[in-house]
Amino acid sequence: MTTLLVVAKEPRPGRVKTRLTPPYTPQEAAALAEAALADTLDAVAAAPATRRMLVLDGRPGPWLPPGFDVVPQCGGGLDERLAAAFAACGEPALLVGMDTPQITPSLLTVDFEDCDAYLGPAEDGGFWALGLADPDPALLRGVPMSTARTGALQHERLLAAGLRVRGLPRLRDVDTAADAAAVAAATPRGRFGARFRALGEVGAR
């Protein structure tokens, strides 16, 4: 079995989804972030796992379902924070963020029997998921994050380590208002889609 890791920020106005403002207010952007996080945690809760961990920058809130171990994020860059999350695992692990509320339990059900790593590319050039049979933090440290080449560079790092890498479907992160509209349209039944519709067409503001 596998540990499922979610790396997230507490959805507080002004601290999350700042690229959504404008057209959204900081409060509206935080509401969208909370909905995305809640959908993500629901998918993780429904997927098979030996352990579920929320690696959190901030404090947990009512959006957190039962069954998760909450651990604080360490300091440093994103590569260091992701590396530390994997270092806390003693078994195969799959890590996701809070920016892809369209994920499903089936996407998170991975088998390392015939591969060493999984990588889920994001449309912006990053990655939405990383799975490691041997959660070695050195596989992430030093990989430039938040660039259009992050996913490709992480893939190169895995191959250079001699790992057998299996790809996951390409997904769209929610970073901009256009991303939010596209993801909400793809997930009409989730909290994120409902929150997006409740906020209305802010793009006309």
Side-chain angles (χ1 to χ4, degrees):
M1 293 288 281
T2 304
T3 292
L4 294 179
L5 300 162
V6 180
V7 176
K9 283 184 178 180
E10 178 187 358
R12 289 172 53 195
R15 295 191 70 249
V16 293
K17 295 295 163 209
T18 54
R19 290 174 61 189
L20 292 177
T21 57
Y24 294 97
T25 68
Q27 291 74 22
E28 289 169 339
L32 285 169
E34 180 175 332
L37 178 54
D39 281 347
T40 300
L41 294 173
D42 283 350
V44 171
T50 52
R51 185 184 184 193
R52 297 171 183 86
M53 293 174 57
L54 174 63
V55 186
L56 183 64
D57 177 1
R59 297 181 179 179
W63 37 263
L64 178 64
F68 283 79
D69 297 329
V70 180
V71 297
Q73 286 188 28
C74 72
L78 181 56
D79 63 318
E80 290 289 343
R81 286 178 277 145
L82 299 184
F86 276 109
C89 302
E91 63 178 3
L94 179 72
L95 177 146
V96 299
M98 59 183 286
D99 297 335
T100 49
Q102 68 270 47
I103 61 173
T104 61
S106 61
L107 282 176
L108 304 177
T109 304
V110 296
D111 184 356
F112 289 98
E113 183 175 349
D114 59 354
C115 71
D116 306 302
Y118 283 85
L119 189 66
E123 289 190 7
D124 63 3
F127 59 87
W128 66 269
L130 176 63
L132 298 173
D134 178 9
D136 180 358
L139 293 169
L140 291 102
R141 291 192 178 112
V143 174
M145 296 287 162
S146 302
T147 78
R149 296 236 333 126
T150 293
L153 293 171
Q154 183 63 70
H155 189 234
E156 291 172 6
R157 174 70 68 86
L158 299 175
L159 294 178
L163 303 186
R164 299 166 298 166
V165 183
R166 178 175 291 176
L168 293 169
R170 185 180 301 273
L171 297 182
R172 185 167 184 167
D173 285 341
V174 175
D175 291 319
T176 66
D179 295 331
V183 172
T187 55
R189 295 188 183 89
R191 288 185 177 92
F192 184 83
R195 176 60 63 183
F196 177 85
R197 292 189 297 274
L199 291 176
E201 293 297 330
V202 300
R205 292 177 184 172

